[in-house]
Amino acid sequence: MDHGTHRTGTAHDHTPAPYHHPGHDGGRPPGVSWATAVRATLHCLTGCAIGEILGMVIGTALTWGNAQTMALAIALAFVFGYSFTLFAVRRAGLGLGAAVKVALAADTVSIAVMELVDNGVIALVPGAMDAHLSDGLFWWALLGGFAVAFLVTTPVNKWMIGRGKGHAVAHAHH
């Protein structure tokens, strides 16, 4: 075997090893399990939830309008969602520029779907947009939105990982 051209995907070689499965056509990973998709979605949901809750709390506490609060919550959801992946791949040895590219490739679609669904649920729950931090409705709408977003985003992540996209990009660096 010529080791000079073999890519290992280690921390020393920052190019992910290509998927190679004998008898598997197309260079894609074989069937992705639901457990893998659930783990990827929970990883994304954790960062999104932290950013979203922080944004909602800040905007509500400052008595901002709904649009400003939601914009802050969405922006922070992306920041925290990306940062979880960014820190993980940096810890694996990737340089900052490469790590940012991996985080963007790994999480953009997942976070976007999650935020679209989550905020859509919140917007559709009567009174949720006007609820205060001390109102149960505020928290139930937020948590319900996360639950629905998780259910919608998991199949999206499964589909993307099965094509070597989304979270599969970050997993090549772990």
Side-chain angles (χ1 to χ4, degrees):
M1 173 185 247
D2 178 11
H3 293 286
T5 60
H6 181 72
R7 290 190 175 154
T8 62
T10 65
H12 302 290
D13 173 12
H14 301 298
T15 306
Y19 286 107
H20 175 70
H21 300 283
H24 182 71
D25 198 21
R28 295 182 186 150
V32 175
S33 72
W34 281 103
T36 298
V38 165
R39 281 191 302 275
T41 306
L42 285 173
H43 178 267
C44 183
L45 178 64
T46 302
C48 287
I50 290 169
E52 180 104 8
I53 291 169
L54 185 60
M56 292 286 194
V57 168
I58 291 170
T60 302
L62 295 175
T63 64
W64 287 1
N66 292 337
Q68 296 92 339
T69 298
M70 194 172 278
L72 177 63
I74 291 168
L76 290 177
F78 273 92
V79 168
F80 279 88
Y82 286 139
S83 69
F84 275 34
T85 298
L86 184 67
F87 291 133
V89 296
R90 289 278 292 144
R91 199 170 38 244
L94 241 54
L96 182 60
V100 167
K101 288 178 184 177
V102 167
L104 292 172
D107 294 329
T108 299
V109 171
S110 184
I111 295 171
V113 170
M114 197 162 290
E115 286 303 299
L116 180 68
V117 173
D118 174 48
N119 285 285
V121 168
I122 293 168
L124 291 174
V125 171
M129 293 297 292
D130 297 319
H132 297 280
L133 295 176
S134 59
D135 295 335
L137 179 61
F138 173 88
W139 295 103
W140 283 112
L142 191 59
L143 295 175
F146 290 147
V148 173
F150 174 81
L151 293 174
V152 172
T153 308
T154 299
V156 172
N157 282 334
K158 184 178 188 304
W159 181 81
M160 289 181 59
I161 293 167
R163 279 142 191 80
K165 309 266 186 230
H167 288 268
V169 175
H171 287 239
H173 298 284
H174 289 272

